[in-house]
Amino acid sequence: MGAMSVRPDTEAAAQQGAGKAPHRAGFACFVGRPNAGKSTLTNALVGRKVAITSNRPQTTRHTVRGIVHREDAQLVLVDTPGLHKPRTLLGERLNDVVRTTWAEVDVIGFCLPADQKLGPGDKYIAKELAGIRKTPKIAIVTKTDLVDSKQLAEQLLAVSRLGEELGFEWAQIVPVSAVKGNQVALLADLIAPLLPESPPLYPEGDLTDEPEMVMVAELIREAALEGVRDELPHSIAVVVEEMLPREDRPADKPLLDIHANVYIERPSQKGIIIGPKGKRLKDVGTKSRKHIEALLGTPVFLDLHVKVAKDWQRDPKQLRKLGF
């Protein structure tokens, strides 16, 4: 380890000697009410699918970090769950996770969708942000592809006023469209100078430091939510029980066996997830397997089972078992 930590510093010193700006590295998190476009933005910046995205609010449950590697900086994105007024024990725990994360990062990006007027949820978050004095805050107006220039101008103005009302100044206000890729690179350019001087914190090839099993579970969960948004809001949890390379396979034809359980809260929800003649569960398997294979770079055999964990969102014992 000793030898490794010496190298980036000497490199940084050499860069400075050559009149180059010092390398920066640090953590940024995107906040915003549920469904404000945080995960889509993380994916657009990293350039690969790392955070779970779904049009169902409240789908990010883990601090998924996407890592943006640049020549001048390394940006580690911490994706927190949306902050909201908690109604369940899970909600309270998620909010605690959010506040802890905010206090530990170098930059906070507050995502506000361009196509929705600022509401009580946004003000609630902005008020919390105002209390975090030291951390620079960037307002990111997302989903700009959904509005015309007049609407966008009004939203930028409203966001600027929001900071004034609460007595703090945004480090930047940036409109972006993650879906269209508009201004995503500019956002990275604006975040980089706000990070502390530091050698890279992660090796070049890393896109996320989230354990693979957790990411696989998130991809399955995303696929499971896809067709049943209206019937099962977020009462789906996925636990990957094991991931093992299949034995006796030739080296050039590996196969990874993944066994996972999809947990729901009530027996009546089982039929919804499984679908007529098991069709929906099969679709979930096919869809998530594609994403998992892309993520892990290896063929996968996915074995999915649906189980009932009664009222897991409100039960501390179940929450612990399901990894929250």
Side-chain angles (χ1 to χ4, degrees):
M1 255 332 260
M4 248 183 85
S5 57
V6 172
R7 198 182 58 83
D9 293 329
T10 50
E11 212 170 65
Q15 270 182 14
Q16 273 167 292
K20 251 179 154 184
H23 187 278
R24 295 178 177 273
F27 296 86
C29 74
F30 294 143
V31 305
R33 54 197 162 88
N35 212 8
K38 302 180 292 287
S39 296
T40 312
L41 192 55
T42 300
N43 293 340
L45 277 162
V46 177
R48 256 181 73 175
K49 193 171 172 114
V50 286
I52 167 176
T53 56
S54 140
N55 340 357
R56 158 86 35 231
Q58 269 327 98
T59 40
T60 309
R61 287 241 171 84
H62 296 280
T63 309
V64 178
R65 298 176 172 85
I67 302 166
V68 182
H69 301 275
R70 298 162 52 107
E71 256 187 31
D72 60 334
Q74 187 182 68
L75 171 60
V76 184
L77 299 169
V78 191
D79 197 13
T80 56
L83 188 82
H84 55 99
K85 295 208 162 104
R87 284 190 298 275
T88 62
L89 181 64
L90 174 66
E92 277 170 46
R93 278 201 196 167
L94 291 176
N95 279 358
D96 292 343
V97 170
V98 177
R99 291 196 188 93
T100 317
T101 307
W102 292 5
E104 289 166 357
V105 296
D106 302 298
V107 181
I108 298 173
F110 183 15
C111 296
L112 301 127
D115 63 332
Q116 295 167 32
K117 284 211 169 359
L118 299 188
D122 298 312
K123 291 182 179 142
Y124 175 73
I125 295 171
K127 209 176 262 160
E128 294 273 336
L129 285 180
I132 299 169
R133 289 263 167 238
K134 283 206 210 58
T135 318
K137 296 169 263 298
I138 292 182
I140 306 164
V141 176
T142 58
K143 309 188 186 186
T144 57
D145 51 298
L146 302 179
V147 298
D148 59 25
S149 51
K150 181 173 176 286
Q151 242 180 307
L152 179 57
E154 283 168 8
Q155 187 72 326
L156 291 171
L157 201 64
V159 169
S160 162
R161 282 201 198 108
L162 181 63
E164 282 165 26
E165 279 165 29
L166 293 167
F168 69 87
E169 203 176 320
W170 301 109
Q172 302 279 353
I173 300 177
V174 200
V176 301
S177 165
V179 172
K180 292 270 198 290
N182 297 346
Q183 306 235 96
V184 172
L186 171 70
L187 176 61
D189 292 343
L190 295 173
I191 294 174
L194 299 172
L195 302 173
E197 288 183 23
S198 156
L201 304 165
Y202 291 88
E204 178 86 35
D206 288 9
L207 287 169
T208 170
D209 75 345
E210 188 69 3
E212 282 179 344
M213 278 170 102
V214 174
M215 289 186 67
V216 166
E218 289 283 275
L219 289 170
I220 295 169
R221 187 164 180 273
E222 179 178 2
L225 276 172
E226 198 94 317
V228 299
R229 291 217 169 83
D230 307 332
E231 299 152 275
L232 302 181
H234 17 273
S235 51
I236 296 179
V238 175
V239 177
V240 173
E241 297 295 337
E242 55 177 18
M243 276 171 48
L244 297 168
R246 176 85 55 97
E247 286 176 22
D248 311 326
R249 295 282 292 196
D252 58 341
K253 290 213 171 100
L255 183 67
L256 189 65
D257 283 317
I258 299 180
H259 299 279
N261 291 327
V262 178
Y263 287 96
I264 47 183
E265 291 193 294
R266 287 184 288 288
S268 60
Q269 298 171 335
K270 215 168 174 170
I272 299 174
I273 286 282
I274 293 172
K277 297 194 173 150
K279 184 178 173 331
R280 185 168 271 152
L281 190 63
K282 209 172 148 193
D283 290 349
V284 170
T286 312
K287 188 169 271 170
S288 53
R289 199 183 73 236
K290 273 198 203 118
H291 287 311
I292 293 165
E293 290 180 339
L295 174 78
L296 303 177
T298 176
V300 160
F301 172 79
L302 182 58
D303 176 40
L304 281 185
H305 292 274
V306 179
K307 299 197 165 182
V308 178
K310 215 164 149 315
D311 291 329
W312 64 265
Q313 296 201 54
R314 295 171 193 281
D315 176 353
K317 255 208 331 265
Q318 300 265 22
L319 280 173
R320 269 200 301 280
K321 189 182 139 205
L322 298 174
F324 301 118

